[in-house]
Amino acid sequence: MSVKMREIQMAQDKNPPTLPIPEDKKERFEKIKAKFIEIYGEEPKFFSRAPGRVNLIGEHIDYCGYSVLPMAVELDIIMAVSPDTQGQISLVNTDPQYQSYNVDVNQIVITKDVPHWYKYVLCGIQGIKEHFQSDTLRGFKAVVDGTVPRSAGLSSSSALVCCSALSMLKANEWTMSKEQLAEVCAKCERFIGTEGGGMDQAISLTAVAGKAKLIEFNPLRTQDVLLPPNAAFVVGNSLAEMNKAATPQFNTRVVECRLAAQVLATSQEGVKWREIRRLGELQEKLVYTLDEMLNLVTSKLHPEPYTKQEVCEILEVTPEELVETSLSANTTHVDSFSLYNRATHVYSEAKRVVQFKAICDQQPGNALEQLGELMNQSHASCRDMYDCSHPDLDTLVEVSKANGAVGSRMTGAGWGGCTVSIVNAEKVSSLLAGVKAGYYQPNPDKFSKVDEALFATTPGGGAAFYIA
C-alpha cells in the first residue's frame, strides 16, 4: 500500500464506521424503522447510534483539565434518519412523553430556560453547522429512540448530542474524525448551559467494545485500557433524578474549581491568575506533582467556604469584574465558594485515575481489590469533598459492598443518578440479587422499576452509522 493510500485508510479508520445491524438488535431497529415509515411515509436512509457511558473513575475532573477513565455501556440513543433537502429538522421521539419538534435548520435557537429533550438534538446540529460554515444546508427527518435513562448519570444528554451531530454530518455528506467530532460535541452541548469537560462525548464516540478508555484533554487523546479478566461491572440507578442543565449545582462546582485555581495562583510568584482557568493549568504552570498540588491546597487555602467579597479582595476585582473573569451566567447569584474541598477532590481524584490505569497495565494478582479500593475512595471524596452525592446513592453504594462488590461509587454528575460497582465476574448474579433485595425491594416505587434500573454491563462499542 502506498503512503498516500495508507494515510487515506488511517483517516477513514478514524471516522465513525458504517456497520450492519447486529442480529440481536434487529428487532429494535425494525420497530424504529416502522415508526419512521408511519410518521414520514418513507423509509429512513440510515441509522445513527451513540451509547451512554459509565465513568469508572475520575469524577468532576475533566473540566479541570484532567484525565478520566470511563467505558461505554450498551444502553444507547438510536436515530432513524432521512436527509431533508428543504432544510427542515423534524424530530419525533418513540416515547410519547416527549413532544415532537420541527424547525428550519437556519432558524435554530437554543434557549437555556427549560432543557427539553429536542434542545440536545439541536445542540448537535448547531455544532456541526458552525464547524462547517456551509452556505447550503440539508436538514433531516428523524425518529429518536433511547434506552439510556435520563438524569441517571449515564450521559443520556451527551449521547443525544452525539447521535444528532452524527445525523447532521451524514445528512450533509460531510466527514470528520471521531476525535474532532467529540470536541465539537463537547463545545456545542454548552449551548444548553452545561459547562462539561468533554468526557461524555469522547467516550460515546471513540469507545472500543471490551475496553475502557483513558481520555486526556487539550488536545483530546484516548488510550484503550484493558481491565482485569475477572472484572465485571454492575450499574444501579438510585432513581433519584438530577438534571444538571436545570440546576446550578453542576456549574457552581465548575466555577468553584476555577476560583480555587485562580486564588491559588495569586500565592505563586510569576503566575498571572487571569491566565488560569483550570486547576490542571495551574499544575502545568508550576510543574508540580499531584502530591505537591495537594500540599499547596492544604497550605494556601482555608477549609471554610470563601465569601464572594473575600474572593474579590484576594483577586483585587469588583463583584462585576468577578462575573467577567470567573463566573458563569447561572452562578452570578452564588455568594459562598468551597475552594479547599473542591481542589482537594480534584487533585486526589486525578491521582486515583493515574493509579487505576497503572493497576490495569500491570495486572497484579489482587488488581480487582486494588481497583475497588480506589473506587471506594472516589465515592467518599465525591460525597465529602465535592458534595455531589445523594443519600440514596450512599445507601446503594453500601448495599452493593455488603453484597459482594469489591468497590462501589457514584458515577456521573451526581446529586442522584447511578452507582457503578466492580465485582468478581463469578459473583455478578449474587450481587444483582442482593442489591435488588436490599435497596429496591423495601421501596415499592423503586422496586417497580428495578428491571431497568439494575443491570450488569460490559464495555460497549462507540458511536456508528448503521445501514437502514
Side-chain angles (χ1 to χ4, degrees), residues 80-200:
V81 183
S82 187
D84 188 314
T85 56
Q86 303 304 308
Q88 292 297 305
I89 300 293
S90 305
L91 306 172
V92 175
N93 200 304
T94 57
D95 188 334
Q97 71 170 305
Y98 299 118
Q99 68 188 90
S100 300
Y101 187 77
N102 296 278
V103 68
D104 187 287
V105 72
N106 290 304
Q107 296 176 357
I108 290 173
V109 176
I110 305 168
T111 57
K112 298 179 181 178
D113 49 356
V114 181
H116 294 297
W117 77 275
Y118 59 80
K119 292 182 182 177
Y120 293 101
V121 179
L122 298 182
C123 284
I125 295 167
Q126 192 69 12
I128 295 298
K129 269 177 58 181
E130 292 187 1
H131 179 81
F132 283 95
Q133 295 285 310
S134 175
D135 293 331
T136 56
L137 286 174
R138 292 180 187 171
F140 61 80
K141 305 166 188 172
V143 166
V144 183
D145 184 77
T147 56
V148 190
R150 66 178 185 178
S151 304
L154 299 180
S155 199
S156 58
S157 56
S158 296
L160 201 49
V161 172
C162 292
C163 199
S164 166
L166 281 171
S167 299
M168 185 64 178
L169 198 65
K170 194 168 183 68
N172 284 276
E173 298 179 352
W174 296 327
T175 59
M176 62 196 307
S177 73
K178 290 176 279 191
E179 288 76 14
Q180 282 180 307
L181 191 55
E183 292 188 327
V184 167
C185 289
K187 289 175 185 172
C188 70
E189 191 166 334
R190 294 170 193 161
F191 295 149
I192 203 168
T194 303
E195 293 202 25
M199 166 182 66
D200 300 347

Side-chain angles (χ1 to χ4, degrees), residues 12 30 41 56 79 86 126 167 180 185 221 225 292 319 379 383 415 419 424:
Q12 289 173 340
E30 284 300 321
L56 299 180
M79 291 186 183
Q86 303 304 308
Q126 192 69 12
S167 299
Q180 282 180 307
C185 289
R221 300 178 302 281
V225 176
E292 287 171 330
H379 182 75
R383 180 191 64 215
W415 299 285
T419 61
N424 190 302

Side-chain angles (χ1 to χ4, degrees), residues 373-451:
E373 178 54 30
L374 289 172
M375 291 171 70
N376 292 336
Q377 291 172 15
S378 174
H379 182 75
S381 184
C382 286
R383 180 191 64 215
D384 300 335
M385 304 305 286
Y386 221 71
D387 293 313
C388 63
S389 190
H390 183 283
D392 288 5
L393 285 172
D394 299 337
T395 299
L396 186 49
V397 161
E398 293 308 316
V399 170
S400 298
K401 290 194 289 187
N403 283 279
V406 293
S408 187
R409 59 181 292 275
M410 59 150 275
T411 185
W415 299 285
C418 288
T419 61
V420 58
S421 300
I422 188 170
V423 60
N424 190 302
E426 296 176 353
K427 298 182 179 178
V428 168
S429 296
S430 60
L431 176 59
L432 290 169
V435 173
K436 186 174 182 177
Y439 179 78
Y440 294 96
Q441 203 161 345
N443 185 318
D445 287 342
K446 292 185 188 297
F447 191 59
S448 67
K449 301 171 184 172
V450 68
D451 290 341

Side-chain angles (χ1 to χ4, degrees), residues 146-320:
T147 56
V148 190
R150 66 178 185 178
S151 304
L154 299 180
S155 199
S156 58
S157 56
S158 296
L160 201 49
V161 172
C162 292
C163 199
S164 166
L166 281 171
S167 299
M168 185 64 178
L169 198 65
K170 194 168 183 68
N172 284 276
E173 298 179 352
W174 296 327
T175 59
M176 62 196 307
S177 73
K178 290 176 279 191
E179 288 76 14
Q180 282 180 307
L181 191 55
E183 292 188 327
V184 167
C185 289
K187 289 175 185 172
C188 70
E189 191 166 334
R190 294 170 193 161
F191 295 149
I192 203 168
T194 303
E195 293 202 25
M199 166 182 66
D200 300 347
Q201 300 83 3
I203 188 63
S204 184
L205 287 157
T206 70
V208 174
K211 296 177 182 177
K213 283 266 189 184
L214 180 76
I215 299 176
E216 302 171 84
F217 304 95
N218 305 312
L220 179 67
R221 300 178 302 281
T222 67
Q223 292 181 56
D224 291 338
V225 176
L226 190 62
L227 297 159
N230 61 339
F233 297 92
V234 169
V235 176
N237 189 344
S238 70
L239 299 171
E241 289 190 7
M242 195 292 294
N243 190 310
K244 65 185 179 184
T247 63
Q249 295 259 39
F250 180 88
N251 288 340
T252 299
R253 294 300 182 277
V254 177
V255 164
E256 286 177 317
C257 291
R258 185 177 301 147
L259 289 174
Q262 292 173 337
V263 169
L264 281 171
T266 64
S267 71
Q268 302 301 296
E269 279 190 32
V271 181
K272 297 176 181 177
W273 71 263
R274 289 176 185 269
E275 296 177 0
I276 301 295
R277 301 285 289 174
R278 297 184 179 97
L279 288 162
E281 291 172 347
L282 181 62
Q283 184 191 0
E284 287 178 13
K285 197 86 171 174
L286 298 174
V287 200
Y288 279 8
T289 66
L290 286 166
D291 282 331
E292 287 171 330
M293 293 308 297
L294 284 164
N295 290 334
L296 185 67
V297 171
T298 302
S299 62
K300 299 299 183 182
L301 297 180
H302 57 68
E304 303 78 23
Y306 286 68
T307 65
K308 184 180 285 186
Q309 180 182 348
E310 187 179 4
V311 171
C312 287
E313 289 172 358
I314 293 168
L315 299 182
E316 298 180 348
V317 294
T318 65
E320 291 74 24

